[in-house]
Amino acid sequence: MEVRDAGRNPTGAASAGGPVSDLDLLHAHVAGDRDAFGELFHRHRDRLWAVALRTIGDREEAADALQDAMLSAHRAAGRFRGDSAVTTWLHRIVVNACLDRIRRRQAHPTVPLPDGTRGPEDGSGVGGVEPAAPVRDHDTAMVVRDALAALPLEQRAALVLVDVQGYPVAEVARILRVAEGTVKSRCARGRARLAVTLGHLRPRPAPDGGSNVPGVTGGNPGPSPGVRSGSGRSRSSADQQEEA
């Protein structure tokens, strides 16, 4: 199979039409195609990078976590059972790699580097280009980042996926392998903590009746385009017990 030929399937036969699917690329990789996994990664690199960066809050750590995750996915592709979309599976591996790095960092604290700095000008870095925040918003972005970093890991992961990245709750439940109610509970608890920490960022009425202070989003902006849902399983109700 030639991966870049959209008219071929993983066996080399002509497909019915349209681009090669994520699942076809994964199967081609397992079958020995050396380009298939790279093509799959490049399709979803930007969103995977955004999840890693916002979960960890540090560019170098996020890049390392994303690299670890893709190496794991590359090696484990043959064990993919197809009980969820390939994108869900990839996001799950990235989130787990990030949480593992955060736990190790907490056990061995270091001084984090600020995110928001630019990578190579051509955007050829591991996760592509992450534009720096405008100067006037930089302090606010740093405060929000630090507030997210202070949340319990499970709440942070849920909030990043739902509120920051805009994934539907059902998709996040599949990524995290928990019940939808668990995702909602984690988000609600996380938002409550952020409301206390970031209360000073709430919009304040300007003299003319307008608002002169930027606010912080409080909910899921809606389903994210291009994210394909697949069937998944929920864990037992024990997973719905959350730490305050």
Side-chain angles (χ1 to χ4, degrees):
M1 170 192 170
E2 183 66 35
V3 170
R4 302 187 190 282
D5 181 356
R8 298 281 176 181
N9 63 29
T11 65
S15 64
V20 177
S21 71
D22 290 345
L23 187 58
D24 286 343
L25 286 173
L26 197 64
H27 286 164
H29 161 64
V30 174
D33 190 301
R34 290 184 291 182
D35 296 323
F37 192 85
E39 179 73 14
L40 179 64
F41 170 64
H42 280 286
R43 280 188 183 183
H44 305 290
R45 181 183 69 172
D46 289 346
R47 292 186 68 82
L48 295 173
W49 166 246
V51 168
L53 180 60
R54 290 175 172 86
T55 300
I56 292 184
D58 174 85
R59 291 184 66 87
E60 185 175 350
E61 286 281 343
D64 288 343
L66 183 57
Q67 179 173 299
D68 290 346
M70 290 304 98
L71 285 173
S72 295
H74 188 277
R75 295 164 180 162
R79 300 194 297 274
F80 178 69
R81 299 189 304 273
D83 57 353
S84 65
V86 173
T87 51
T88 300
W89 177 70
L90 289 174
H91 278 77
R92 182 183 302 140
I93 294 174
V94 170
V95 169
N96 286 337
C98 290
L99 297 183
D100 286 344
R101 278 196 165 265
I102 291 170
R103 293 185 184 103
R104 290 199 297 269
R105 187 171 65 182
Q106 290 174 342
H108 305 283
T110 58
V111 178
L113 297 174
D115 65 330
T117 56
R118 291 184 181 273
E121 291 300 321
D122 62 357
S124 60
V126 173
V129 175
E130 176 73 13
V135 174
R136 60 189 173 86
D137 293 332
H138 183 68
D139 289 345
T140 298
M142 293 288 286
V143 170
V144 173
R145 188 200 70 177
D146 291 344
L148 277 172
L151 293 176
L153 296 186
E154 292 79 7
Q155 294 175 18
R156 187 195 312 184
L159 275 179
V160 165
L161 290 168
V162 175
D163 285 358
V164 180
Q165 294 304 117
Y167 287 92
V169 169
E171 181 72 10
V172 174
R174 284 186 283 271
I175 291 172
L176 300 180
R177 284 184 168 171
V178 298
E180 291 184 32
T182 301
V183 174
K184 294 177 182 178
S185 174
R186 290 177 180 178
C187 286
R189 291 173 182 268
R191 290 173 193 143
R193 289 173 182 261
L194 290 180
V196 174
T197 307
L198 304 175
H200 62 288
L201 296 180
R202 291 180 181 277
R204 290 193 285 270
D208 60 359
S211 175
N212 57 13
V213 178
V216 177
T217 182
N220 183 356
S224 174
V227 179
R228 299 171 54 193
S229 297
S231 62
R233 296 176 184 155
S234 297
R235 288 182 179 178
S236 67
S237 58
D239 285 315
Q240 300 186 33
Q241 296 178 354
E242 298 294 320
E243 294 182 0

